[in-house]
Amino acid sequence: ARLDVSPKPLSGRRIIVTSGPTHEPIDPVRYIANRSSGKQGHAIAAALAKLGADVRLVSGPVTIADPAGVKTIHVERAQEMRDAVEQLLPADAAVFVAAVADWRSENSAGEKIKKVAGEGPPVLRMVENPDILAGVGHHSQRPGLVVGFAAETQDLLRNAEAKLRKKGADFIVANDVSHESGIGPSGVMGGDRNRVRIVSRAGVEEWPEMSKDEVAARLAALIAERLKTTVV
Ligand code: CTP
Ligand code: CA
């Protein structure tokens, strides 16, 4: 007879997580970025791994370490992140925490752009990046559970509900990044704490303010609960 070790709730589940910002090159030495630290996404990857999941983390450039027990793929640009994510399909679930740059410079210069006397500053033409979450939410190999985030400075719930529908997600974790609550060491972006609302077709659940690790643990538990009813 086989020794029966009690399985963890996410054993055998393959889960993709995106985290961090993306860097969009302007030329070989300059890029467009944003204030995402990767803390929340990395914490979610770690929390899912702790519940036994086979986690594939696709991370943009961050200064924090790869989470223990998580296979981490490092990318720079949104298009690289999209390619890495799509190569990881199929999966049981996917969680999109990355602050993907919405736009990139249309033609990133092959050489460093020089100041030229009399010419003035360069004009950057921007083009839209692929929406990685929407691509997976509407993919022929769509994971059974798709979770997105929404960073908003206004109309939090209305915008989160719109993203839920448009991107084909099951849950949107909505985040207020306005003024005081927003940015810097004590804000959502860069800080260690977070207050989120979980938006789904069933309605809105408000979670109290807690650490990003606690948000991650609760979200991992919610994902485990949702996947329990589907067969491995
Ligand atoms: N997202 C993504 N790829 C993009 C943009 C966003 O996968 N190119 C994902 C994010 O990881 C997040 C969700 O979509 O899970 C919402 O990101 P957000 O920036 O809030 O929404 P946008 O659709 O980009 O809209 P906007 O920035 O205008 O609010
Ligand atoms: Ca965006």
Side-chain angles (χ1 to χ4, degrees):
R2 201 167 61 88
L3 184 67
D4 195 18
V5 285
S6 72
K8 293 180 177 175
L10 288 172
S11 290
R13 299 299 196 177
R14 181 179 166 105
I15 304 183
I16 302 167
V17 179
T18 70
S19 183
T22 64
H23 285 183
E24 308 298 329
I26 294 168
D27 69 17
V29 299
R30 303 184 177 98
Y31 57 84
I32 296 161
N34 62 63
R35 296 181 189 273
S36 170
S37 64
K39 281 178 188 167
Q40 185 65 84
H42 279 51
I44 290 165
L48 290 165
K50 222 166 134 186
L51 295 186
D54 173 10
V55 180
R56 307 302 164 103
L57 174 64
V58 182
S59 174
V62 294
T63 56
I64 57 177
D66 294 353
V70 171
K71 295 190 186 84
T72 305
I73 298 150
H74 295 271
V75 299
E76 297 259 331
R77 299 179 293 114
Q79 290 167 304
E80 288 168 356
M81 186 174 276
R82 188 258 333 263
D83 292 348
V85 165
E86 289 193 351
Q87 273 174 28
L88 290 168
L89 294 173
D92 296 289
V95 189
F96 296 86
V97 198
V100 182
D102 290 323
W103 306 282
R104 66 178 181 275
S105 178
E106 185 172 36
N107 300 302
S108 91
E111 304 292 341
K112 183 185 168 197
I113 301 171
K114 299 294 290 177
K115 286 179 289 183
V116 179
E119 271 197 8
V123 174
L124 292 182
R125 225 183 130 80
M126 307 289 275
V127 289
E128 199 166 318
N129 269 327
D131 189 318
I132 305 167
L133 163 55
V136 170
H138 297 113
H139 203 278
S140 58
Q141 297 190 84
R142 182 191 190 278
L145 188 61
V146 175
V147 180
F149 271 65
E152 307 291 349
T153 59
Q154 55 185 349
D155 294 329
L156 181 73
L157 290 180
R158 210 163 51 87
N159 284 324
E161 275 156 15
K163 283 174 185 172
L164 184 78
R165 284 190 303 275
K166 197 173 109 198
K167 295 172 186 256
D170 299 293
F171 290 107
I172 291 286
V173 181
N175 237 315
D176 182 357
V177 293
S178 66
H179 33 269
E180 316 85 62
S181 55
I183 285 156
S186 63
V188 172
M189 285 192 116
D192 291 319
R193 297 185 71 77
N194 208 351
R195 196 166 73 86
V196 301
R197 294 176 178 83
I198 309 294
V199 181
S200 71
R201 256 143 291 183
V204 181
E205 204 185 304
E206 285 211 32
W207 289 3
E209 189 196 295
M210 58 186 99
S211 73
K212 287 184 176 178
D213 287 338
E214 288 165 327
V215 169
R218 277 185 74 156
L219 193 64
L222 177 67
I223 289 168
E225 186 60 36
R226 272 307 200 88
L227 289 181
K228 208 164 67 182
T229 46
T230 53
V231 184
V232 177

